[in-house]
Amino acid sequence: MTLMVDVSTPARRTDRLRPRTWAVVLAACVGQFLVVLDVSVVNVALPSMRTDLGLSAAGLQWVLNAYSIAFAGFMLLGGRAADLYGRKRMFLVGLGLFTAASLAGGLAQEGWQLLAARAAQGLGAAVLAPATLTLLTAAVPEGPARTRAIGTWMAVGAGGGAAGGLIGGVLTDTLSWRWVLLINVPIGVLVAIGAALWLAEGRAGERSRIDLLGAVLVTAGLATTAYGIVQTEESGWTTTATLAPLLGGLALLALFVLVEARTAKPLMPLRVLGARPVASANVAMFVIGSATFSMWYFMTLYAQNVLHYSALEAGLALMPTSVAIVAGSKCAPHLMARTGAKNLALTGTAMTAVGFGWQSTMTAGGSYLTAVCLPGVLMMAGSGLAATPLASLATAGAAPGESGLVSGLVNTSRTMGGALGLAILSTVAAARTGASTGAVELTAGYALAFRTAGWVLLGGLLLMALWLPRHRPVKH
């Protein structure tokens, strides 16, 4: 008889874990690693994807946005489904969909097939990601053991984002761009087999209806709005091709708000946003995400299209930037205890804005140190410093029992902001570059995108200074 780890109820408090319980930790960590990895691993493969599948410049950004919009739009639904329908079941469903979509994307022969696969990957990730943490916290006892397990889970997630560029570069250069997606398949199959054998089912609540309509409306609204923004590049702002999706997307988002206000069990209870700390922190995270998410996209294109780095060289070139965001995130709790959450959020955002301003001075003949490394480190270290205090402010303003929901909202706000920000900034860059493919023109377009993002961050900085509540530093 196979020994299974029960994840239906929290285990008793203890400082030591049975070896088999670490199987749950391993499954949760690998699932989280795959989800975070696939946000960044495709960046260095984008030029190869465009050449092989004939993607347009506008289509190229949808390789990222198809994943991020589906991920953000369905993340809260995925977390609710794990509670209601079983953590193991939803973990396997999410992992299965993610793995199958990775296979489909790796085998894609047309651009639309790749984009459809990336959207399916995002949906799978939205189901998988919340289930990884609920599996871990249900299986590992409260106390030092759980603290160590969650620390491992967070470190693995950060490592997935940091390693994405390097792994993508190695796979693209040594095999092909297809392997940045196909690599998920054997890993996903092995983890699914292990989870099916080792985990027992469990759920946190009685089965009830979940807000599928809300998830579909917010995802469709974001995607349609982003498509309308991208259309301005070819059609301008006043044509039907632009106005129809823009107005349609805004109408879908307005309908989403109406549904959330009236449904008994909303995906995003609007009353949660009535608290000033929650609302201000989510808006701030949306603004920061709208600027910083695009950084990886433009830096990768600049490194390969202008500086003529290979995919592996581009991945290596961005490693200090990846390490910087991890370092900023790790330092933030200690600094927050000294300065306070609001002050650290403002400082981190200001650093990020300075980094974007520096990056906007890039030239076609720029050096690695001053045109890639140092401004990138400044941008991402500041972003890492700002994210933790914003999440802390949001959860501090949550009602008892709603900290998990608010944490999910913060992550959703950042990802949604990133998706719409990439659509806008790509359009800004394309408008400056025009039809030219020369290094000087491409650099001018990328520089304008960074400059625009810098101004967005400065606007966000002013908003945060006026709106974020001030909390006293935690004294040790």
Side-chain angles (χ1 to χ4, degrees), residues 452-474:
T452 303
W455 283 111
V456 169
L457 287 167
L458 289 176
L461 188 66
L462 177 61
L463 181 71
M464 292 160 63
L466 296 175
W467 195 10
L468 284 179
R470 184 174 298 278
H471 285 244
R472 294 180 180 178
V474 178

Side-chain angles (χ1 to χ4, degrees), residues 66-138:
Y67 182 89
S68 58
I69 289 176
F71 186 25
F74 287 98
M75 192 187 308
L76 294 177
L77 185 72
R80 184 65 175 151
D83 287 337
L84 295 178
Y85 299 112
R87 300 160 186 136
K88 174 185 175 181
R89 179 178 291 111
M90 299 316 297
F91 179 87
L92 291 173
V93 168
L95 182 61
L97 179 56
F98 183 89
T99 303
S102 298
L103 178 62
L107 299 177
Q109 300 300 311
E110 301 287 343
W112 68 267
Q113 295 171 350
L114 175 61
L115 300 185
R118 286 289 286 169
Q121 261 194 318
L123 176 57
V127 176
L128 176 60
T132 62
L133 186 56
T134 55
L135 273 174
L136 187 149
T137 54

Side-chain angles (χ1 to χ4, degrees), residues 310-365:
S310 67
L312 176 57
E313 289 170 339
L316 290 170
L318 294 177
M319 277 299 293
T321 307
S322 301
V323 172
I325 193 170
V326 176
S329 300
K330 293 288 286 182
C331 292
H334 304 288
L335 294 174
M336 192 167 66
R338 294 173 176 270
T339 67
K342 179 175 181 177
N343 288 338
L344 185 59
L346 293 173
T347 301
T349 304
M351 282 178 58
T352 306
V354 170
F356 271 82
W358 185 355
Q359 190 65 63
S360 71
T361 64
M362 62 207 297
T363 63

